Amino acid sequence: MSITVCTEQLSLKTQGYTDIINITPGVQQFVDDNRLIEGQILIFINGSTAAISTVEYEPGLLQDIPETLDKIAPMNKNYHHDNTWHDGNGYAHVRSTLMGSSFTVPVVKGRLVLGTWQQIILLDFDNGPRNR
């Protein structure tokens, strides 16, 4: 059995404030470009104010997710992080922790194994645009 490891960085400009971006096409392109047939893909965001998850990428959920997170970790609350760093993004760190920084998806016959309506998303919670 042969094991191959491929690594690639996907760069995106985000708007912050719970910006939700469908990255599924970029992940599938990675699979195609590297001719991966069977295995797993680990998608990881290397920031503490963003997250990786999956969702049915449709307008209702693109509103529901930020509205729900506003109830759990509101932007207009004073966080201890903000008292320490004075950067106003304590809520972004809490949201990132709740959502998680990675997602692993199997690859079978050269395709990502996702549900019919399931897409991989990057969520940027920071309080301004970022290069991710």
Side-chain angles (χ1 to χ4, degrees), residues 23-125:
I23 62 170
T24 309
V27 177
Q28 184 61 56
Q29 188 64 53
F30 172 80
V31 170
D32 296 343
D33 291 349
N34 289 281
R35 297 184 183 109
L36 301 177
I37 305 301
E38 305 287 329
Q40 297 180 19
I41 301 286
L42 170 66
I43 302 101
F44 173 80
I45 183 72
N46 63 343
S48 61
T49 58
I52 298 291
S53 191
T54 65
V55 73
E56 179 178 339
Y57 195 81
E58 56 86 15
L61 284 170
L62 295 180
Q63 290 180 306
D64 292 337
I65 293 168
E67 288 175 6
T68 301
L69 289 170
D70 280 341
K71 293 174 185 171
I72 297 169
M75 289 185 209
N76 60 355
K77 178 185 178 294
N78 186 31
Y79 292 86
H80 298 288
H81 169 82
D82 299 331
N83 295 334
T84 302
W85 295 105
H86 309 287
D87 55 5
N89 69 352
Y91 74 93
H93 290 279
V94 171
R95 290 178 181 194
S96 174
T97 300
L98 292 170
M99 297 293 294
S101 60
S102 66
F103 176 73
T104 302
V105 60
V107 175
V108 175
K109 297 181 183 174
R111 305 303 301 167
L112 300 170
V113 179
L114 295 169
T116 302
W117 306 111
Q118 185 179 24
Q119 289 89 32
I120 305 165
I121 56 172
L122 178 144
L123 303 97
D124 184 357
F125 303 116

Side-chain angles (χ1 to χ4, degrees), residues 9-15 45-46 124 128-132:
Q9 184 172 337
L10 177 64
S11 297
L12 299 168
K13 291 184 185 290
T14 62
Q15 297 304 307
I45 183 72
N46 63 343
D124 184 357
R130 298 285 302 263
N131 292 318
R132 299 282 187 178

